[in-house]
Amino acid sequence: MTQELTVQLAGTKREKPDQANLGFGRIFTDHMFMMDYTEGQGWHDARIVPYQPIALDPSAMVFHYGQTVFEGMKAYLTKEGRVFLFRPEKNMERLNRSNERLCIPQIDGDYAIEGLKKLIDIDREWIPTAEGTSLYVRPFIIATEPFLGVAPAKNYTFMIIMSPVGLYYKEGIAPVKILVENDFVRAVKGGTGEAKTGGNYAASLKGQEIASEKNYSQVLWLDGVERKYIEEVGSMNVFFKIDGEVITPELNGSILHGVTRDSVIQLLKHWNIPVAERRISMDEVAEAYRNGKLEEAFGTGTAAIISPIGEFLWNDEKMVLNGGKTGELSKRIYDTITSIQKGAQKDEFGWITEVPVSK
Ligand SMILES: Cc1ncc(COP(=O)(O)O)c(C=O)c1O
C-alpha cells in the first residue's frame, strides 16, 4: 500500500502536563493519525491532524455491534534524546490477527508504523523525560458505516492517539494482589479472547469491580469451560516459577498473544532458565504453593512491563508469595526489558525501532 500521508499541524500547542502527575491515559498529545476504509476502495486518506473529537453517525455500527479492535504500545526517550519503539511490528501483526477475527479489513502494518513514526516525530516534545515515564500509543479501528444490521461494516476508520504516561504503579515495580475468579469468565476458546477487541474488556468489568471491592487489584481468569486452567490476569499474561521452572499458559485461542509475554520467553531462553508454555491449573499452582515450590508469579504487559504477584486469593485460600515482595527473577526481567527500551542496555534481540528525526 503506497499512499500519500498528508499532515495538518495544530495551530496552537497545548500546555504540557506536570510529569509528576501524568497518571495513565487521560492526557493526549497535539496530533493524531487517521485513515479511512471504504469497500471497493480500500484504505485511503491517511493523514495526521490536530487531536480533536470525531463526528460519527449515531447509527455507526461500532456503537451497536462492537466491531472494533485496538492495540497498545509505548515510545521511550533514551538519555541521548533518541526515541525508541518496542517491537511495533508485533503490535501491527496482532492488530491484523484481531482484524481477521472481527471481519475488519487488514491494514498494511509497515505503512502504519511509518505513519506512527511521523506522528511521534511531530509530537516528540510530548514524550516525558522523568524516570519511568513514556508515551503510550493507542492504534484502533472502528466500524463507521451507518447501518443497523449485524454484518461486517463497509466503512472503517483507523486512528492512532498518544498519551504521555507515568509509571503504572507509583513504586515502579510493586507486587499486586490477585483474586482468582470462579464465577465470571472473560473468554472461551472459539470466542474472541485472542483478539484485542473492546467486548472482551467490557466482559471483564464486573469481575474486576468485585475484586476491587475486596481490595484486590486484578482478577486472574480461569478457562471458560472447566474453570480450572489459568488463562491470564486482567490485561496481562501470567507466569509462575515453580521449583526452578517458569511456566506460562500456552496460546490456546482464548488468551492474548502478549508482546511482553513473547519477549520474556525469549529472555528466559537466552538466560538458560527452563521455560514451558503449557496448560496449567489453579490446583497445580496451589499445590506448589502448599509444598513451598511456588517461588514467584508475575504478570506481563506493555503498561507495567512486569507486575510481580504478591498474593492470590482462591476460594478461601490466601497464598502470599515471597512475603508479598518482588521476586528476584521478576526484578531481573523488569530491569533488562526496561533498560533495552530506554537504550541503557544493548538490544541483542532486534526489538528496538528508532523514530528518526525529520529534517
Ligand atoms: C487481555 C490482555 N492480556 C495480555 C496483555 C499483555 O499484552 P502486551 O504484552 O502485548 O501488552 C494485554 C495488554 O495488551 C491484555 O489486554
Side-chain angles (χ1 to χ4, degrees):
M1 185 171 72
T2 42
Q3 55 161 307
E4 206 195 329
L5 172 64
T6 64
V7 177
Q8 183 202 341
L9 295 179
T12 51
K13 288 186 178 174
R14 280 167 304 141
E15 207 176 303
K16 304 288 179 304
D18 169 12
Q19 291 203 20
N21 294 303
L22 288 174
F24 205 98
R26 293 197 182 276
I27 301 159
F28 298 93
T29 67
D30 284 325
H31 298 89
M32 61 189 189
F33 175 92
M34 294 181 86
M35 174 165 81
D36 301 316
Y37 179 90
T38 308
E39 196 179 66
Q41 191 183 354
W43 289 104
H44 59 90
D45 282 302
R47 57 207 183 270
I48 290 173
V49 293
Y51 186 92
Q52 61 194 290
I54 53 169
L56 283 179
D57 197 293
S59 62
M61 291 169 83
V62 64
F63 295 137
H64 306 275
Y65 312 112
Q67 204 191 2
T68 176
V69 293
F70 70 97
E71 267 307 320
M73 61 179 127
K74 282 173 170 175
Y76 303 87
L77 194 65
T78 72
K79 267 208 178 80
E80 296 76 31
R82 298 165 71 189
V83 177
F84 286 176
L85 283 164
F86 186 73
R87 310 188 76 185
E89 65 287 348
K90 294 291 283 181
N91 292 90
M92 293 307 167
E93 202 182 291
R94 187 170 65 189
L95 188 64
N96 273 329
R97 178 191 297 275
S98 303
N99 282 339
E100 169 62 27
R101 181 65 181 84
L102 272 290
C103 296
I104 294 174
Q106 298 282 296
I107 58 149
D108 178 337
D110 293 339
Y111 184 79
I113 292 173
E114 285 315 305
L116 171 61
K117 284 182 182 167
K118 179 88 189 145
L119 177 67
I120 294 174
D121 184 42
I122 290 172
D123 279 346
R124 188 175 279 271
E125 60 202 46
W126 278 88
I127 310 177
T129 51
E131 177 70 25
T133 60
S134 55
L135 187 69
Y136 185 76
V137 175
R138 168 56 57 87
F140 63 106
I141 302 175
I142 52 174
T144 53
E145 185 190 352
F147 174 50
L148 298 183
V150 181
K154 294 184 169 63
N155 305 86
Y156 300 87
T157 297
F158 171 75
M159 303 179 68
I160 307 176
I161 55 175
M162 307 195 295
S163 170
V165 296
L167 278 177
Y168 203 64
Y169 300 107
K170 276 200 187 71
E171 307 79 1
I173 180 168
V176 289
K177 287 169 63 180
I178 304 285
L179 181 76
V180 182
E181 177 58 62
N182 287 316
D183 297 325
F184 298 106
V185 294
R186 176 190 167 273
V188 287
K189 226 172 268 178
T192 56
E194 208 179 63
K196 211 162 161 60
T197 183
N200 292 342
Y201 297 81
S204 76
L205 295 176
K206 198 69 203 167
Q208 183 64 47
E209 187 181 69
I210 293 169
S212 300
E213 279 163 12
K214 294 183 180 164
N215 212 16
Y216 283 82
S217 64
Q218 301 266 337
V219 168
L220 183 140
W221 301 104
L222 298 178
D223 76 277
V225 179
E226 296 180 68
R227 314 278 162 95
K228 209 170 152 186
Y229 298 100
I230 292 165
E231 298 251 305
E232 52 191 332
V233 166
S235 48
M236 295 187 289
N237 295 108
V238 65
F239 288 72
F240 301 88
K241 184 164 176 248
I242 298 177
D243 206 12
E245 186 190 35
V246 183
I247 303 155
T248 191
E250 65 199 339
L251 298 174
N252 61 359
S254 57
I255 66 172
L256 202 75
H257 293 215
V259 177
T260 321
R261 175 189 182 279
D262 183 79
S263 312
V264 168
I265 293 170
Q266 277 194 50
L267 261 189
L268 292 171
K269 288 184 176 162
H270 183 70
W271 290 336
N272 290 320
I273 295 175
V275 53
E277 296 175 70
R278 65 162 169 86
R279 206 159 74 149
I280 177 167
S281 68
M282 200 53 217
D283 281 310
E284 183 180 343
V285 169
E287 186 65 19
Y289 176 76
R290 291 179 208 127
N291 294 334
K293 292 189 170 166
L294 179 57
E295 295 158 19
E296 275 184 54
F298 55 88
T300 64
T302 298
I305 313 301
I306 300 292
S307 271
I309 296 172
E311 180 185 320
F312 285 111
L313 180 67
W314 184 39
N315 301 320
D316 293 326
E317 186 174 5
K318 195 185 262 193
M319 303 173 224
V320 177
L321 278 71
N322 263 314
K325 299 212 176 66
T326 297
E328 216 173 280
L329 183 63
S330 306
K331 177 90 175 77
R332 183 176 178 202
I333 298 170
Y334 178 84
D335 288 344
T336 306
I337 295 183
T338 53
S339 299
I340 293 172
Q341 288 169 335
K342 285 275 194 178
Q345 182 168 328
K346 194 169 152 250
D347 170 26
E348 293 175 70
F349 305 96
W351 287 341
I352 296 300
T353 294
E354 183 162 6
V355 176
V357 184
S358 61
K359 281 144 215 133

